[in-house]
């Protein structure tokens, strides 16, 4: 097998698939209140097309798939897509990122599928604040999902976007979720992908600030070794069951070991979170490309990959930022 290695020597073994750009929440840092201009349904990649792509990628060494969105569980029958991807030879790990609002009914099937991990987005434990951030009053549903996932034995990472002046006072409280149960708690720097819904924050908080807050509250916190390709800086607090992670998503300190590519709901292959996309896989497939032609296009995209998120962003500046530039299209 000829592995997928980029022009900087990084081996690609992980794809993140945004199965939809639609969502039942309206997190203000991700989309405006009225939503974004959604991709028309006929433009979405079909499940058979996603499955074919993953089969081809598995032949090129991809081992890990994450389903994200939008909210993955609001696309109809997504569980069947997950089942068929899990059955592809070579795919060893399925992961999901979800807001946890409509996830509960799928927990038994996810357990049977052997899902390796679920990232649950949760920015606050305060119901009123949750409503202000997500524009929906459903914190309780997310908390029940968290408990049920833990009870089902599925590894959970709680992801909190740190929003200066809004939820930063909960950094310590959120860490305590990892004390009493085996969940990791991770803090994400806010990125400028909000669908044009609001101005960049005045008090943006970076990973150093977050670590400073955690160190003040837990002086015994210490760094621990993480996987080479991990995006999170990893820490342990003595007595806590779960780990603590800080993701410098905007500061971008992790690009050197990045092993992932991304697929948007309409089939655009992204080789960096910050690029404007390379080519549209759906168009190539629907024009009758063979698997070998598909592989050649993927290899070509990966062979021209930006060194890091800053280079990717710079290369994209010539293209106007779309009003749809929302994290729900990129998948986080
Ligand atoms: N709807 C699912 C969810 O919220 O988990 C999956 C998609 S969501 C786009 C994936 C992740 O991106 C979530 O953890 C979310 O908090 C994060 N995210 C969205 N917009 C962001 C932004 N502007 N900056 C940083 N993280 C963001
Ligand atoms: Fe929906 Fe996730 Fe975006 Fe929130 S972060 S609006 S839950 S896609």
């Amino acid at each position: 097998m000829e592995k997928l290695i980029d022009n900087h020597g990084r081996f690609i073994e992980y794809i993140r698939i945004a199965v939809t750009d639609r969502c039942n929440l309206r997190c203000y840092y991700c989309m405006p209140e009225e939503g974004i201009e959604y991709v028309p349904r006929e433009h979405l990649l079909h499940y058979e097309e996603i499955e074919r792509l993953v089969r081809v990628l598995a032949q090129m060494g991809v081992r890990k798939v994450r389903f994200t969105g939008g909210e993955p569980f609001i696309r109809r029958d997504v569980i069947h897509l997950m089942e068929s991807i899990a059955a592809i030879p070579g795919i060893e790990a399925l992961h999901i990122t979800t807001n946890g609002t409509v996830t509960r009914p799928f927990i038994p099937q996810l357990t049977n599928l052997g899902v390796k991990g679920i990232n649950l987005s949760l920015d606050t434990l305060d119901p009123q604040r949750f409503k202000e951030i997500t524009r929906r009053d459903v914190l309780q549903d997310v908390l029940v999902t968290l408990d049920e996932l833990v009870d089902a034995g599925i590894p959970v990472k709680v992801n909190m976007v740190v929003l200066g002046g809004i939820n930063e006072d909960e950094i310590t409280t959120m860490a305590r979720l990892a004390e009493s149960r085996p969940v990791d708690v991770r803090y994400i720097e806010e990125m400028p992908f909000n669908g044009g819904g609001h101005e960049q924050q005045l008090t943006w908080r970076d990973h150093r600030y977050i670590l400073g807050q955690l160190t003040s509250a837990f002086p015994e916190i210490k760094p621990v070794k993480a996987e080479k390709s991990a995006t999170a800086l990893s820490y342990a607090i003595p007595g806590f069951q779960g780990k603590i992670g800080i993701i410098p998503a905007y500061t971008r300190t992790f690009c050197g070991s990045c092993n992932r590519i991304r697929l948007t709901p309409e089939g655009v292959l992204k080789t960096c979170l910050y690029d404007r996309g390379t080519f549209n896989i759906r168009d190539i497939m629907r024009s009758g490309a063979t698997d070998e032609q598909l592989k050649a296009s993927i290899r070509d995209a990966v062979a021209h990959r930006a060194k890091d998120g800053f280079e990717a962003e710079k290369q994209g500046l010539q293209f106007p930022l779309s009003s749809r530039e929302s994290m729900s299209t990129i998948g986080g």
Side-chain angles (χ1 to χ4, degrees), residues 21-38 131-136 190-199 321-329:
D21 57 350
R22 290 170 166 76
C23 190
N24 55 335
L25 300 189
R26 290 286 180 276
C27 304
Y28 84 94
Y29 51 76
C30 179
M31 353 183 156
E33 186 149 21
E34 64 280 11
I36 53 171
E37 193 189 315
Y38 294 121
K131 192 172 158 195
E132 282 160 19
I133 293 174
T134 68
R135 303 186 179 107
R136 301 289 185 269
E190 187 190 5
M191 293 174 270
F193 301 121
N194 55 52
H198 78 112
E199 296 294 316
L321 195 74
S322 151
S323 61
R324 279 216 341 256
E325 197 75 24
S326 155
M327 196 59 100
S328 68
T329 310

Side-chain angles (χ1 to χ4, degrees), residues 23 29-30 68-72 97-99 119-121 123 159 161 188-194 327-328 331-332:
C23 190
Y29 51 76
C30 179
T68 173
E71 173 48 41
T97 302
T98 175
N99 64 29
N119 290 0
L120 188 69
S121 302
D123 302 322
N159 282 343
V161 181
I188 308 178
E189 287 178 353
E190 187 190 5
M191 293 174 270
F193 301 121
N194 55 52
M327 196 59 100
S328 68

Side-chain angles (χ1 to χ4, degrees), residues 133-185:
I133 293 174
T134 68
R135 303 186 179 107
R136 301 289 185 269
D137 192 6
V138 289
L139 171 63
Q140 199 49 37
D141 294 341
V142 184
L143 295 178
V144 173
T145 301
L146 171 60
D147 284 341
E148 291 192 4
L149 287 170
V150 172
D151 290 347
I154 299 179
V156 178
K157 292 177 180 166
V158 169
N159 282 343
M160 168 189 187
V161 181
V162 177
L163 305 158
I166 295 186
N167 65 358
E168 60 183 296
D169 57 342
E170 286 187 80
I171 290 176
T172 308
T173 328
M174 292 292 285
R176 294 213 177 271
L177 287 176
E179 185 174 23
S180 51
R181 53 191 121 189
V183 306
D184 293 353
V185 173

Side-chain angles (χ1 to χ4, degrees), residues 105-118:
F106 301 100
I107 293 177
Q109 283 153 293
L110 297 175
T111 311
N112 288 341
L113 265 179
V115 164
K116 288 278 191 303
I118 295 205

